[in-house]
Amino acid sequence: MKRQLALLDHALGALRRRAGRNAAIAIGLAAVVALFGSTSFLAEALRAEYRALADGLPDLTVQRLVAGRPALIAEREAATIEALDLPGVRSVRPRVWGYLFVAPIEGNVVVIGRGAHDDAEIVAGRWPERDDEIVVGSGIARLLGARAGDQIALTASEGATPVVLTISGVLDARTAALGSDLVIATDARARSLLGVPEGMATDLALDLARDEEAAVVTAEIAQAVSGARVIDRQLLERTYELTFDARAGLVGAMLVPALLALLLLAWDRLTGLGEAERREIGVLKATGWSTNDVLTARMWESGLVALVGSVAGVAIGYVHAFWLGAPGIADALFGWSVLHAELALAPAVDLAQVLAIVSAVVVPFVAVSVVPAWRAAMLDPDRLLRGGP
């Protein structure tokens, strides 16, 4: 232990003697790690958001396809599914929801009938009790500068007469992705805004007693309901997981050349040991240091530079992802329209994730820095002190 502490003390002294070069390398490492870290943190936060969101989704969603595209489905199909008397199905409920363009925010909002949404909390106001009342998401309230008691006008379609509605409450969703762009109204008002006639629904939501029953129930519904497409929540979760992984991997792959360029630059700078460094190694060898001691001291020196740069990069990546909104990276991972409501992700960072990012930089950097020191340490001390090749 004392030997290692002595080598560490020597490495700290070497860092001070070559402070300018080491600071430049640490800054470069911090920049690369920040980019990788921000991408990784953002992707993991998206996964965490969707996992929390998926808990509130129905186990199965039944849609009707016409010409290969989703269409309205008759509410009587819910009775058809109930008549199958499938033991794994606990409930079947029609849902009315859809998208509506709102000119003041220049974007689409999701209009949902009250019966289709029951897992968000009101932070100000109450649930709509009349057809002229609505509840809006926190993102819409922020963009419009509205709060409970204010009135807004929504237009069902182009050229239609705007409908003045009172905001009875503002949502506080369980996750940032859940309720930012929602407008929750009574079923009757949702139908009028979306143009969904009575007796029709956007889809049917099924709750199952056990997730293992999904495949059997899906097959039975596909036979009983003509033109039905059944969406399994578990399959949807896996699809989104793969989507987030693919997007994060693509962005990460685009950053690999930056890391390789930095390592090549470090190799070029560290391979050409200066005369002072060669003489220093010669003095150490002449005073009894072994080759292993020289390499260990160099590993301490390079490891400290890489560690400082990596830790600083992780901190910068965290700030970039969660405080600054990840400019330049968020659009590539979110995959949403630029008109989408603002999404503030909750941090989801674990130790394994940080260690993986740091190791991906520290290990190769230490490796490329030790090789030139090893080559110099293998030379005769006299040649090193005399400045020979």
Side-chain angles (χ1 to χ4, degrees):
M1 178 60 71
K2 291 183 178 180
R3 189 180 189 86
Q4 291 298 322
L5 291 176
L7 295 175
L8 175 60
D9 183 66
H10 173 80
L12 292 173
L15 288 175
R16 289 191 293 269
R17 289 191 297 273
R18 294 182 282 273
R21 187 189 69 177
N22 291 325
I25 294 176
I27 292 173
L29 288 172
V32 174
V33 172
L35 292 174
F36 275 102
S38 180
T39 302
S40 179
F41 295 156
L42 201 62
E44 186 59 32
L46 281 171
R47 295 188 192 98
E49 291 287 345
Y50 182 73
R51 293 188 194 106
L53 174 60
D55 291 338
L57 296 177
D59 296 313
L60 295 177
T61 302
V62 181
Q63 294 180 334
R64 175 171 170 260
L65 296 183
V66 175
R69 301 182 66 86
L72 298 178
I73 187 172
E75 290 187 343
R76 64 174 180 274
E77 299 294 0
T80 302
I81 296 175
E82 292 175 345
L84 296 175
D85 196 23
L86 299 174
V89 178
R90 292 192 300 183
S91 65
V92 183
R93 51 192 172 93
R95 301 193 304 178
V96 177
W97 64 275
Y99 299 98
L100 184 68
F101 182 78
V102 178
I105 63 175
E106 298 183 341
N108 290 326
V109 300
V110 182
V111 178
I112 297 181
R114 176 72 174 89
H117 196 277
D118 57 4
D119 57 358
E121 298 178 356
I122 297 292
V123 294
R126 54 177 174 77
W127 286 110
E129 297 176 353
R130 304 190 308 271
D131 290 345
D132 62 346
E133 293 179 337
I134 58 172
V135 166
V136 299
S138 56
I140 297 175
R142 181 181 63 253
L143 291 174
L144 295 177
R147 57 185 178 181
D150 292 345
Q151 292 183 327
I152 63 173
L154 297 179
T155 304
S157 60
E158 186 176 355
T161 302
V163 178
V164 178
L165 302 171
T166 301
I167 299 176
S168 64
V170 178
L171 288 176
D172 180 22
R174 294 177 305 166
T175 69
L178 183 59
S180 181
D181 60 345
L182 294 185
V183 172
I184 301 180
T186 62
D187 285 343
R189 177 57 65 189
R191 289 181 183 278
S192 66
L193 289 174
L194 299 173
V196 178
E198 285 290 338
M200 304 297 290
T202 305
D203 56 31
L204 305 177
L206 278 71
D207 293 322
L208 303 180
R210 296 192 306 167
D211 292 338
E212 293 78 5
E213 300 284 346
V216 176
V217 174
T218 297
E220 293 289 343
I221 293 175
Q223 293 181 357
V225 180
S226 176
R229 177 177 68 175
V230 183
I231 301 174
D232 188 343
R233 176 174 58 85
Q234 293 179 325
L235 295 178
L236 197 61
E237 289 179 19
R238 288 196 288 270
T239 299
Y240 272 91
E241 288 280 352
L242 292 174
T243 299
F244 296 145
D245 290 343
R247 288 178 177 171
L250 178 61
V251 176
M254 295 171 61
L255 298 176
V256 168
L259 176 59
L260 294 178
L262 180 63
L263 293 177
L264 287 175
L265 179 62
W267 171 269
D268 179 67
R269 296 301 181 188
L270 296 174
T271 299
L273 292 178
E275 187 65 28
E277 292 178 89
R278 294 170 63 86
R279 182 171 285 107
E280 178 182 318
I281 294 176
V283 171
L284 294 176
K285 295 276 288 184
T287 55
W289 280 47
S290 65
T291 301
N292 184 60
D293 291 336
V294 174
L295 294 180
T296 302
R298 191 54 180 260
M299 289 180 64
W300 273 116
E301 181 181 350
S302 301
L304 289 173
V305 172
L307 186 61
V308 170
S310 299
V311 171
V314 168
I316 295 172
Y318 184 94
V319 172
H320 177 262
F322 301 119
W323 290 11
L324 303 181
I329 296 179
D331 290 341
L333 294 182
F334 289 173
W336 283 333
S337 165
V338 294
L339 297 179
H340 196 281
E342 180 181 349
L343 176 62
L345 292 172
V349 180
D350 55 30
L351 181 60
Q353 187 181 11
V354 174
L355 290 178
I357 297 172
V358 172
S359 300
V361 174
V362 172
V363 173
F365 178 79
V366 172
V368 301
S369 63
V370 168
V371 173
W374 173 78
R375 292 171 59 185
M378 295 300 293
L379 297 177
D380 184 75
D382 183 62
R383 294 175 60 185
L384 294 171
L385 292 173
R386 292 176 181 273

